[in-house]
Amino acid sequence: MYLCPLTLPALSQAIRKIIHVDMDAFFASVEQRDNPALRGKPVAVGGSRERGVVAAASYEARRFGVHSALASKIAAQRCPQLLFVKPRFEVYSAVSRQIREIFFSYTDLVEPLSLDEAYLDVTENKIGMPSASIIAKEIKRRIFEETGLTASAGVSYNKFLAKIASDMDKPNGFTLITPDRAEELVASLAIEKFHGIGKVTAARMQSMGIVTGADLRQRTEEELVRNFGKVGRYYYRISRALDEREVQPHRVRKSIGAERTFDVDLTEEQEMLERLHYLAAEVAQDMARLQATAKTVTVKIKYFDFTLNTRSKTFLSGFSSADAIYTIARDLLRTPQLPPYPVRLLGIAVSSLLYQHDKQEGYQLTIEF
């Protein structure tokens, strides 16, 4: 999908060129790639017909309303022909490493958001290419040639717009949003399509009469802060297509972590363990890229009523594998008991980090999520 001309117009050094790459139904696509019998069929990674939760769904399954974090029983009811496949997190991590190597061949300014998506700043790039659009298309081509998978890419002058763009033409899509069209597009965008505005916030905004970007832009910054807190300042700016956040490949912090909020609260142990497995793989992937080891694992649990609980364990020696992180997180989930109430969010963070390139105690580096 092209919203504007194919290349960014006369960008000065002050205007950044940002690409957001998002793999298409990543886990499910890997399974369909590796098993021809699954191709063209509705596939759910994770769970089973009796219990569990869907970790990822193929596009064929999504047409029936099957999506990640959906209870498996509901998914099977919506799509009786749905095929459930056990997740292979080590395979997904390996493919993700392949994809990130492609990214790094163009720029060192890569900010991974998860195993299957990342921001790239290609304002100045390793191949000296002035067109971000050409780079994005080349990345898509290389991903397909080297992994057999498709990705969607969005190109714009800030992170918010690049993310919006990559969602507009999936799967295997490409969308460019240039400065002369940005404000018009944002004004027409449904509020639930705004990256950074979740379902709960979107529903609250809709109850206030904020249905589109144009409605959001009518609200003052003071009003948005009063109703939504400090994040209201972010809402005020993105309604005007403004986003000064830089692509952050790393920054000084004390932990590496990942968390997910679920559309449907989790109540079964197997559902929670499947999500922890996914999160552990995601954390391990970033640890591997940063050549880091950790001695502490913390599991974050948020219940249906927003009550927060954290459980941590520290070891004398370091670890970095997804299996080790998952095993520790699993034990923490069960100690002193399994969550007694429905769970709306799970997270894993590792800390007490040590990096191969810096052996001095106390120097901490992590991905900014």
Side-chain angles (χ1 to χ4, degrees):
M1 178 185 295
Y2 298 93
L3 299 181
C4 307
L6 297 183
T7 57
L8 293 172
L11 290 175
S12 69
Q13 289 298 318
I15 298 181
R16 289 176 294 192
K17 303 177 185 180
I18 309 297
I19 301 171
H20 180 264
V21 179
D22 191 4
M23 299 302 297
D24 298 321
F26 184 50
F27 290 2
S29 294
V30 171
E31 297 301 335
Q32 290 178 317
R33 178 197 69 177
D34 293 348
N35 184 352
L38 299 176
R39 294 173 190 171
K41 297 180 180 178
V43 174
V45 177
S48 66
R49 290 193 174 275
E50 292 74 30
R51 59 184 302 176
V53 64
V54 175
S58 68
Y59 281 98
E60 294 86 355
R62 293 182 188 186
R63 297 191 187 104
F64 293 86
V66 177
H67 55 79
S68 62
L70 183 68
S72 299
K73 287 184 179 180
I74 297 176
Q77 291 170 0
R78 293 182 179 179
C79 181
Q81 63 270 45
L82 188 63
L83 301 174
F84 288 90
V85 179
K86 290 184 179 180
R88 299 180 297 154
F89 294 102
E90 294 303 323
V91 175
Y92 310 146
S93 293
V95 177
S96 181
R97 285 193 293 273
Q98 280 185 275
I99 294 166
R100 290 192 188 178
E101 286 304 313
I102 295 173
F103 296 160
F104 284 116
S105 67
Y106 295 93
T107 177
D108 289 328
L109 295 178
V110 178
E111 180 181 347
L113 301 179
S114 62
L115 290 176
D116 59 348
E117 63 174 317
Y119 289 111
L120 293 76
D121 187 332
V122 296
T123 310
E124 296 181 6
N125 54 79
K126 295 179 179 179
I127 63 173
M129 169 59 66
S131 169
S133 297
I134 291 176
I135 293 176
K137 293 174 186 176
E138 189 170 316
I139 287 173
K140 280 168 47 65
R141 176 187 60 77
R142 286 188 57 189
I143 288 174
F144 183 73
E145 290 179 353
E146 296 178 30
T147 71
L149 304 171
T150 63
S152 295
V155 175
S156 196
Y157 58 91
N158 65 40
K159 291 168 72 173
F160 170 70
L161 292 171
K163 170 65 175 174
I164 293 297
S166 70
D167 286 338
M168 294 184 70
D169 189 25
K170 293 180 72 70
N172 197 24
F174 171 83
T175 299
L176 170 67
I177 302 176
T178 54
D180 58 325
R181 292 291 305 279
E183 289 191 25
E184 177 186 349
L185 183 144
V186 171
S188 66
L189 201 64
I191 205 66
E192 63 269 19
K193 298 293 186 181
F194 275 62
H195 178 57
I197 297 180
K199 289 187 176 181
V200 174
T201 301
R204 185 177 175 190
M205 286 186 174
Q206 290 163 349
S207 71
M208 296 168 58
I210 303 174
V211 179
T212 66
D215 298 328
L216 183 60
R217 189 172 182 178
Q218 295 301 312
R219 306 303 174 108
T220 65
E221 184 174 8
E222 181 183 47
E223 181 182 3
L224 292 173
V225 170
R226 185 170 62 250
N227 282 281
F228 301 100
K230 292 181 180 180
V231 73
R233 296 190 179 94
Y234 171 73
Y235 299 155
Y236 177 83
R237 298 193 66 74
I238 61 174
S239 71
R240 291 159 174 76
L242 301 174
D243 181 9
E244 293 81 17
R245 295 174 302 154
E246 296 181 354
V247 171
Q248 297 279 3
H250 52 72
R251 62 170 54 186
V252 177
R253 288 182 59 182
K254 296 182 179 181
S255 66
I256 297 173
E259 61 184 43
R260 289 291 184 275
T261 299
F262 311 115
D263 292 337
V264 178
D265 294 339
L266 308 185
T267 57
E268 300 292 332
E269 178 183 10
Q270 187 60 33
E271 296 175 336
M272 300 177 200
L273 293 179
E274 287 176 358
R275 302 314 288 167
L276 285 181
H277 210 155
Y278 172 88
L279 294 169
E282 193 170 316
V283 171
Q285 166 67 19
D286 289 313
M287 292 178 70
R289 193 177 71 80
L290 294 171
Q291 296 184 312
T293 59
K295 294 183 179 181
T296 300
V297 172
T298 300
V299 170
K300 178 179 178 181
I301 305 168
K302 186 178 288 185
Y303 295 111
F304 73 103
D305 60 355
F306 291 87
T307 301
L308 184 64
N309 175 245
T310 58
R311 306 171 181 182
S312 297
K313 189 170 184 178
T314 299
F315 297 82
L316 293 176
S317 58
F319 48 84
S320 60
S321 73
D323 286 343
I325 296 168
Y326 168 73
T327 299
I328 298 166
R330 179 196 63 195
D331 293 344
L332 287 170
L333 185 74
R334 294 169 172 171
T335 307
Q337 63 176 338
L338 286 169
Y341 309 110
V343 172
R344 76 182 312 269
L345 175 148
L346 283 175
I348 295 177
V350 294
S351 54
S352 303
L353 303 176
L354 186 63
Y355 295 84
Q356 291 184 21
H357 62 273
D358 192 316
K359 297 297 183 181
Q360 296 179 0
E361 295 280 346
Y363 180 77
Q364 309 292 349
L365 184 67
T366 186
I367 292 293
E368 170 70 7
F369 290 97

